[in-house]
Amino acid sequence: MEHDALDAGEARYELVISVDARGSGQYSDAEKPLMRRQIYGVLETAFAQAGVGRNAVHLEDRGDGVLISVPGRIAVARLLGLWMTELHEKLRLDNRRERRPLGLRVAMHVGPVRHDSEGICGDAVNLACGLADSSVARHLLEREQADLVLAVSESLYREVVAPGGKFIDPDRFAPARITLKGGEVTAWFQLPGRPAPALGQPTAPSSSTTAASGSPAADENGYEDGETDGDGDGDGDGDGDAAYRAGRDMNVFRDTTFERSVHIGHNIGTDRRKD
């Protein structure tokens, strides 16, 4: 997308979309080109089906994902509604024939964006990227074995999602309070094609709590500071503690004494139930 030289570096309000692939670190060098082709294939198909010209948006390659900004002349509701619907449908159909199904974390936020010859920057870009890389988005995509998870900022939810519209159903979103580099924010999460995800009630993280073993306290997902959900990406900063309560596979014990060692819950990816 071309920009006038006279306003280079000036901030303009645009929709920022961050797209990240699940478990990109688990792909071999030989597999990564196929992963990238599939990412671009589903994005370009969705843009075409939504009537958004590929040259009408700014797109930056991120290796295992894509960073996109959409100018204000294109309705945000079209991207949140029709574009996301087409993206999910194309990804779902493609994954039926893939040996390794592609999972995508998509995040959106509208805010001031600055363009230069190298790309885009600004707090709006940082927020969108942080939401896509958050452990809430990672954990939700993995827990539900979904093809796609969408995260939107609080302001975008309030201004565009909450009023509803074609292909936009606010009842299918659920909020979570998460901590990013810039501080705590509320984000809204959706699994396209499914009911609102069970995230539980947003809560503030506690830095003073320690686990019984004396190790740093795990967050409500069971992750310690700096730990991810097992994606194996190692390619993002993450959001530290994900300040939300997982809605299932959790038990609460108060004033309980155990007479011997017990194991509560399960280890994701390692437990195997025997028949």
Side-chain angles (χ1 to χ4, degrees):
M1 184 171 58
E2 296 295 331
H3 295 280
D4 296 334
L6 292 177
D7 62 0
E10 293 183 358
R12 68 197 74 190
Y13 273 76
E14 296 183 340
L15 171 67
V16 181
I17 306 174
S18 178
V19 181
D20 281 341
R22 171 176 55 200
S24 60
Q26 299 173 9
Y27 286 82
S28 68
D29 281 352
E31 292 172 323
K32 284 181 179 177
L34 178 61
M35 174 195 73
R36 286 166 52 79
R37 284 197 297 272
Q38 189 179 359
I39 291 174
Y40 278 93
V42 296
L43 290 176
E44 290 173 0
T45 297
F47 278 125
Q49 294 297 324
V52 178
R54 170 63 180 80
N55 60 350
V57 304
H58 169 85
L59 189 149
E60 293 181 25
D61 182 75
R62 292 299 179 98
D64 58 354
V66 177
L67 180 61
I68 303 166
S69 66
V70 183
R73 67 177 181 272
I74 299 175
V76 173
R78 186 187 301 182
L79 278 300
L80 262 171
L82 181 56
W83 183 78
M84 279 299 304
T85 299
E86 294 292 347
L87 181 68
H88 175 242
E89 184 65 12
K90 173 63 174 173
L91 184 61
R92 184 182 67 85
L93 293 175
D94 281 1
N95 278 342
R96 286 182 174 181
R97 57 177 180 268
E98 294 294 333
R99 182 181 64 83
R100 185 197 293 267
L102 177 67
L104 293 180
R105 303 186 304 272
V106 178
M108 296 186 183
H109 173 61
V110 172
V113 177
R114 297 181 185 274
H115 291 256
D116 58 29
S117 60
E118 303 301 327
I120 60 175
C121 63
D123 289 342
V125 176
N126 295 342
L127 178 54
C129 292
L131 295 180
D133 195 43
S134 69
S135 58
V136 180
R138 291 173 177 269
H139 178 64
L140 187 58
L141 190 66
E142 188 66 26
R143 186 190 77 186
E144 301 297 333
Q145 288 299 291
D147 299 309
L148 181 66
V149 62
L150 169 65
V152 301
S153 64
E154 171 74 4
S155 60
L156 186 55
Y157 177 86
R158 183 176 62 250
E159 295 166 6
V160 182
V161 176
K166 191 172 184 179
F167 302 113
I168 301 176
D169 183 357
D171 292 336
R172 292 179 179 267
F173 287 76
R177 190 72 178 168
I178 61 178
T179 303
L180 304 180
K181 283 184 176 181
E184 290 187 4
V185 300
T186 296
W188 291 76
F189 295 84
Q190 181 197 39
L191 294 168
R194 304 190 188 189
L199 296 180
Q201 195 67 25
T203 60
S206 172
S207 59
S208 59
T209 306
T210 56
S213 63
S215 59
D219 66 18
E220 297 294 352
N221 290 328
Y223 308 140
E224 296 179 3
D225 277 343
E227 190 177 5
T228 67
D229 65 351
D231 266 2
D233 292 20
D235 57 359
D237 295 320
D239 62 344
D241 286 340
Y244 79 106
R245 294 188 184 278
R248 67 184 195 185
D249 294 331
M250 294 187 69
N251 295 287
V252 177
F253 297 90
R254 294 187 176 91
D255 301 322
T256 303
T257 301
F258 297 99
E259 299 297 331
R260 60 179 180 175
S261 298
V262 297
H263 173 76
I264 300 172
H266 66 276
N267 298 319
I268 298 174
T270 59
D271 281 359
R272 295 290 184 272
R273 182 173 296 176
K274 296 181 179 179
D275 295 329

